[in-house]
Amino acid sequence: KHSTFASSQGVCILAFQMTTVATSSFARRVARSCVNSSARRCFAAASDEPLVKTALNELHKELGGDMVPFAGYELPVLYKGENGGVMKEHLWCRSEGKASLFDVSHMGQIRWHGKDRVAFLEKIVVGDIAGLADGSGLLSLVTNEKGGIIDDTVITNAGDHVYMVVNGATKFGDMKHFEEQMASFDGDVTMEYLEESMQLLAIQGPGAAAAVAKLLPSDFDLVKMAFMTGTPTTLDGIAGCRITRCGYTGEDGFEIAMPSEHAVSIASKLLEDPTVLPTGLGARDSLRLEAGLCLYGNDLDGDTNPIEGTLGWTMGGPGSRRRTEGGFLGAEHILTPEGKFKKVARKRVGIKGMKIPAREHTKIFDSTGEKQIGEVTSGTFSPCLKAPVAMGYVETPSAKAGTEVIVEVRGKMQKAAVTKMPFVEARYYRVPE
């Protein structure tokens, strides 16, 4: 974010036993709010094909992971135990001095090689890849011929190659699209999909830097490591690893990649720290929504362009090279010849004020309740705000913060209002001046 600094990211939220979270009505509301359409998408992703297990699969089970199918993988939606459950895991990640550890090895890790790799990437994504300094990264969007969003991705200039992370649920479709575009590209570029050879962990929260520092070389200076930068490193003395300062929660944090055969030892070493808690995909979803970050498939799709998704900033500011030159798929549907954003009929917004969580496909009406002006794409009960929050799309004239709206939840009309996001203040790291 991913979004949003996400490396992303699709998250499966499933119905689960409330053995560790059912001690209060608040906890029950949080749990119910997590049983949303993401679960249906996860089950739909399951097939007769056996689920892929990440290198941490047995460790998840030993730690009490409630394993569920998502994007063809078996992953923990939550953990059972004293600090387990969506609400406790969520609040842990926001707590001072604490950090949450997520297994995001289902995501697609790709290395791009060849002297024309940057030129090719700038045809398939909207961001300024040529402008990335060595070690710097950015969130970008993969677009189709119509300007719709195929996926969101974090891309880093790794020096002799470009490192890309795409969503787990979309990675095979993404790579098929990349191959189609490579077939018509006249240049030197190759795509290396790392498959299961490299595993990916995300450690997020105010205590993430202190926890990771224990595994890094003694001369590694995290204080000077800026947000959205990455570099090769050793972790607990193990070579061939990579660390990127990014995440999908709104907190400071890192994504760390390591050879599969060392994933368990590195994760176990991190979990020896009492400030680090194993955290499932349920809390990952509620954390990203509080942070105002998009979930691909819910809040973004191939029929939504960057302006509608309020992600125009991924192309740069007014007058920036990517906005004035275009050159990426669908640019003519997004930008005017002068590089200005084309007008759109709807925009992504935050919604607050309703008493009952408004989930995906909830209808949004104007303040009279007579005219439907949009639809919710993601919604939950915020553990931090102790109130429902949602994001969705409304007609552009109604997208201004403060606009009163009505949402229809379970057949009842609930007063609400358009609001800016994030819902909870972001705490991304800034290098001290």
Side-chain angles (χ1 to χ4, degrees):
K1 349 83 204 187
H2 139 210
S3 77
T4 69
F5 293 103
S7 65
S8 207
Q9 295 107 78
V11 178
C12 170
I13 313 299
L14 302 174
F16 49 81
Q17 294 180 342
M18 292 299 296
T19 55
T20 60
V21 207
T23 56
S24 70
S25 60
F26 169 62
R28 287 192 292 272
R29 290 200 301 275
V30 172
R32 283 198 300 270
S33 73
C34 288
V35 183
N36 59 19
S37 63
S38 298
R40 293 193 293 276
R41 293 208 335 275
C42 288
F43 284 125
S47 68
D48 293 335
E49 294 294 321
L51 294 174
V52 180
K53 296 180 180 180
T54 72
L56 299 181
N57 186 269
E58 289 303 317
L59 180 61
H60 291 314
K61 293 175 181 177
E62 292 171 12
L63 294 170
D66 189 346
M67 308 301 287
V68 298
F70 172 65
Y73 286 75
E74 185 177 61
L75 292 166
V77 69
L78 57 81
Y79 293 84
K80 300 167 186 174
E82 181 181 356
N83 293 309
V86 173
M87 183 179 71
K88 288 183 178 180
E89 291 172 16
H90 179 115
L91 293 173
W92 185 284
C93 188
R94 298 265 189 250
S95 298
E96 286 302 323
K98 303 292 179 65
S100 296
L101 185 66
F102 304 86
D103 182 0
V104 291
S105 301
H106 62 294
M107 291 164 57
Q109 299 181 70
I110 297 170
R111 292 174 184 157
W112 291 96
H113 304 278
K115 65 181 178 63
D116 300 313
R117 60 187 179 273
V118 170
F120 174 74
L121 287 169
E122 289 203 342
K123 290 186 178 297
I124 62 171
V125 304
V126 305
D128 183 1
I129 311 305
L132 286 176
D134 192 359
S136 294
L138 51 69
L139 176 90
S140 198
L141 306 171
V142 183
T143 50
N144 58 30
E145 290 84 352
K146 300 180 299 180
I149 299 170
I150 293 176
D151 204 359
D152 55 305
T153 174
V154 171
I155 298 174
T156 305
N157 176 4
D160 62 354
H161 67 278
V162 173
Y163 176 63
M164 169 188 271
V165 178
V166 296
N167 282 306
T170 57
K171 62 184 178 183
F172 295 113
D174 290 351
M175 289 187 287
K176 182 175 183 293
H177 171 73
F178 299 155
E179 288 170 349
E180 291 170 352
Q181 296 304 311
M182 288 168 69
S184 60
F185 178 71
D186 184 19
D188 175 25
V189 61
T190 57
M191 176 178 68
E192 178 192 6
Y193 171 45
L194 301 184
E195 301 186 62
E196 308 305 316
S197 66
M198 294 289 285
Q199 299 288 276
L200 192 64
L201 304 179
I203 183 164
Q204 300 281 296
V212 168
K214 297 176 182 178
L215 276 67
L216 290 168
S218 58
D219 60 349
F220 196 111
D221 191 353
L222 279 178
V223 174
K224 294 181 180 178
M225 186 179 192
F227 188 62
M228 294 305 289
T229 62
T231 185
T233 188
T234 61
L235 289 168
D236 198 28
I238 295 167
C241 300
R242 183 172 188 85
I243 183 169
T244 306
R245 197 163 207 156
C246 66
Y248 194 46
T249 63
E251 300 290 338
D252 185 23
F254 306 86
E255 288 187 351
I256 52 176
M258 71 288 297
S260 294
E261 61 270 25
H262 298 295
V264 170
S265 65
I266 289 173
S268 298
K269 189 73 173 182
L270 286 167
L271 290 169
E272 287 177 8
D273 188 326
T275 68
V276 179
L277 184 74
T279 304
L281 297 172
R284 188 165 171 82
D285 191 63
S286 55
L287 286 160
R288 70 90 191 169
L289 185 49
E290 281 189 347
L293 306 180
C294 297
L295 170 62
Y296 191 85
N298 274 44
D299 312 305
L300 302 174
D301 57 35
D303 294 319
T304 301
N305 73 35
I307 313 307
E308 293 172 315
T310 62
L311 296 172
W313 57 268
T314 59
M315 294 177 279
S320 61
R321 181 179 66 86
R322 293 298 272 155
R323 283 179 57 172
T324 55
E325 293 181 3
F328 53 86
L329 276 179
E332 68 276 15
H333 299 289
I334 301 169
L335 300 167
T336 69
E338 299 77 32
K340 295 181 179 180
F341 295 158
K342 286 193 170 183
K343 295 187 182 301
V344 292
R346 62 176 190 143
K347 286 189 175 180
R348 183 172 63 93
V349 298
I351 304 287
K352 283 177 64 175
M354 52 280 186
K355 295 180 180 178
I356 304 173
R359 302 186 183 95
E360 185 186 7
H361 298 312
T362 294
K363 295 177 180 179
I364 305 172
F365 294 85
D366 65 11
S367 60
T368 69
E370 296 178 0
K371 179 188 177 185
Q372 184 178 349
I373 58 171
E375 187 176 272
V376 169
T377 54
S378 287
T380 192
F381 198 92
S382 162
C384 289
L385 301 179
K386 295 182 172 58
V389 295
M391 74 168 70
Y393 287 80
V394 298
E395 295 175 0
T396 301
S398 299
K400 185 177 180 181
T403 301
E404 294 181 353
V405 296
I406 292 177
V407 293
E408 184 180 6
V409 184
R410 302 179 197 165
K412 296 181 179 180
M413 305 300 272
Q414 298 277 324
K415 290 184 178 180
V418 172
T419 185
K420 293 181 180 180
M421 294 184 283
F423 298 104
V424 173
E425 183 179 0
R427 297 194 287 187
Y428 300 122
Y429 182 74
R430 293 180 182 273
V431 176
E433 295 182 2

